[in-house]
Each structure stands twice: as structure tokens, then as C-alpha cells.
């Protein structure tokens, strides 16, 4: 997956050093005589866990990024996290922006054709036998993702793009609402600055 992503984002893989780390446990097996299941854990409100990390270019001349190991078992989320961290390389590493902006970094994944993964990861239900929960990933809400993808599609003049079929139901609904809003408000959205 890593080699495909760096190629997709036009990054030399030899300039990246990828590390794997472990920060938290989000579920435990409950066991029991009748089979049990998983208990999903919730972090404390003031506790911040990261899905990935970007440290910039280090002394060895490589950009250092890291991935939380739990995403190795979640392919779609793995792509979402890695594409976000590689977007840091494109924005900060290549000097396109001076100060970090996580929301812009999330949006950058759209330009490289990877926004569907990040949009789908924004909010996801988890269900197992006898238990349920949800996960959130990234800095944008699913509604913001839906609108951003609709705007991108509109600007690319895609009509209804094939990739929209891969959005989760919630994001797809927000995407369709975004399309309707944009087509009904083009004059406001794309109004030129008259100054």
C-alpha cells in the first residue's frame, strides 16, 4: 500500500522513512463461557491519541512519518492515515504552506484521488457480536467531506463520478446534498471578487 500511495502522490519512496508505533488499546476481548465478544474502550475526553505522525525532514535527509499499528489491520483506515501523513510531505515538506493546517492536509488527499478513504473513515460504526461502537478519524466531519468531494467533482466536471459509489451511505448522502446545493447556488459559490 505504501509504494502505491507514494507513487499516486508523486513522492519518491526513498525520501520517506515510515515507522510503526503503538499508542493505545481501543478494544479488549471479553471472553466468558458463552463466547463473549469485544468491549470497545473510550479514551478520556482530554486524552489525545494519534493515528499517524509527521516529523518533517530529519538529519538523514528523509521525511519521517509514522502509523499507529492498529491500522495495519484496517486497510481502508491505513490508506486514510498514510495519505494524510504523506499530504504533510506535499504541503509542509515541499514548502507549499508555512504553518501546519490539519484540515487542509485532510483536503489535500482529495486532489490525489484518495479522499474517499479519508471521507469514509471520518465516522464509522463498529459492530461485533454483542457489542457496538464507533470510530472517528481525521479533522473533518462526514458532512464536510461530502461537500468537499461534491465541490471537487463539480470543478472536475465529472457528473456523478464512479468513485462516489465507494462512499459510505452517510458520506454519499452528504455528497449528494452538496451537489444539489452547489448546482443551485453557483452564482454565490463562484462569485468573483469585485475589488
Amino acid at each position: 500500500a505504501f509504494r502505491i500511495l507514494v507513487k499516486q502522490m508523486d513522492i519518491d519512496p526513498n525520501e520517506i522513512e515510515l515507522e510503526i508505533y503503538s499508542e493505545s488499546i481501543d478494544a479488549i476481548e471479553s471472553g466468558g463461557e458463552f463466547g463473549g465478544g469485544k468491549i470497545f474502550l473510550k479514551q478520556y475526553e482530554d486524552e489525545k491519541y494519534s493515528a499517524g505522525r509527521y516529523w518533517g525532514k530529519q538529519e538523514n535527509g528523509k521525511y519521517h512519518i509514522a502509523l499507529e499499528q492498529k491500522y495495519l489491520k484496517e486497510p481502508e483506515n491505513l490508506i486514510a492515515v498514510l495519505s494524510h501523513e504523506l499530504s504533510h510531505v506535499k504541503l509542509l515538506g515541499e514548502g507549499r504552506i508555512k504553518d501546519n493546517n490539519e484540515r487542509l492536509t485532510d483536503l489535500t488527499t482529495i486532489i490525489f484521488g484518495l479522499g474517499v478513504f479519508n471521507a469514509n473513515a471520518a465516522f464509522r460504526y463498529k459492530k461485533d457480536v454483542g457489542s457496538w461502537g464507533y470510530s472517528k478519524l481525521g479533522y473533518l466531519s462526514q458532512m464536510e467531506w461530502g461537500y468537499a468531494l461534491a465541490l471537487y467533482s463539480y470543478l472536475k466536471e465529472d457528473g456523478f463520478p464512479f468513485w462516489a459509489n465507494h462512499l459510505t451511505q452517510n458520506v454519499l448522502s452528504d455528497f449528494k446534498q452538496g451537489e444539489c446545493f452547489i448546482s443551485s447556488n453557483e452564482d454565490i459559490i463562484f462569485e468573483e471578487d469585485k475589488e
Side-chain angles (χ1 to χ4, degrees):
F2 176 75
R3 293 243 176 231
I4 294 169
L5 290 176
V6 293
K7 183 176 182 179
Q8 178 80 14
M9 298 181 75
D10 194 29
I11 298 172
D12 181 353
N14 298 315
E15 292 185 356
I16 306 294
E17 187 165 313
L18 175 63
E19 298 172 18
I20 307 297
Y21 67 95
S22 177
E23 196 169 71
S24 67
I25 298 173
D26 66 349
I28 57 173
E29 296 292 331
S30 64
E33 65 182 275
F34 299 108
K38 286 186 180 177
I39 299 172
F40 294 102
L41 305 173
K42 182 179 177 187
Q43 69 191 45
Y44 294 108
E45 285 186 32
D46 60 343
E47 196 171 23
K48 302 286 187 213
Y49 295 147
S50 63
R53 297 180 182 155
Y54 168 77
W55 287 291
K57 195 172 266 191
Q58 300 298 305
E59 291 177 9
N60 66 357
K62 295 184 177 191
Y63 296 103
H64 286 228
I65 63 172
L67 172 74
E68 218 297 340
Q69 76 174 5
K70 72 179 181 179
Y71 296 109
L72 294 173
K73 296 178 184 177
E74 302 173 11
E76 191 170 26
N77 287 340
L78 175 133
I79 292 170
V81 174
L82 284 178
S83 63
H84 175 91
E85 299 310 325
L86 291 170
S87 290
H88 280 301
V89 173
K90 296 303 287 184
L91 294 173
L92 291 167
E94 295 180 2
R96 297 179 190 325
I97 62 173
K98 184 178 176 183
D99 297 319
N100 187 31
N101 182 323
E102 293 293 353
R103 295 168 63 80
L104 178 62
T105 304
D106 264 356
L107 290 171
T108 300
T109 64
I110 295 173
I111 303 303
F112 291 99
L114 300 162
V116 170
F117 296 98
N118 295 72
N120 287 344
F123 185 87
R124 188 170 293 217
Y125 286 106
K126 293 181 180 183
K127 187 175 179 184
D128 206 343
V129 177
S131 62
W132 65 274
Y134 66 90
S135 66
K136 291 180 171 184
L137 191 61
Y139 296 88
L140 301 174
S141 70
Q142 71 181 30
M143 290 173 62
E144 291 168 324
W145 276 111
Y147 182 77
L149 289 167
L151 188 58
Y152 178 75
S153 176
Y154 178 87
L155 293 172
K156 295 284 285 181
E157 299 176 354
D158 279 345
F160 187 82
F162 73 92
W163 49 260
N165 292 312
H166 299 284
L167 294 170
T168 62
Q169 284 302 111
N170 290 345
V171 179
L172 180 60
S173 175
D174 292 326
F175 173 80
K176 289 177 179 178
Q177 287 179 14
E179 282 187 317
C180 289
F181 178 80
I182 292 165
S183 66
S184 299
N185 295 285
E186 292 178 35
D187 56 330
I188 297 169
I189 297 170
F190 302 106
E191 183 179 319
E192 290 186 30
D193 189 9
K194 296 176 182 172
E195 290 180 31

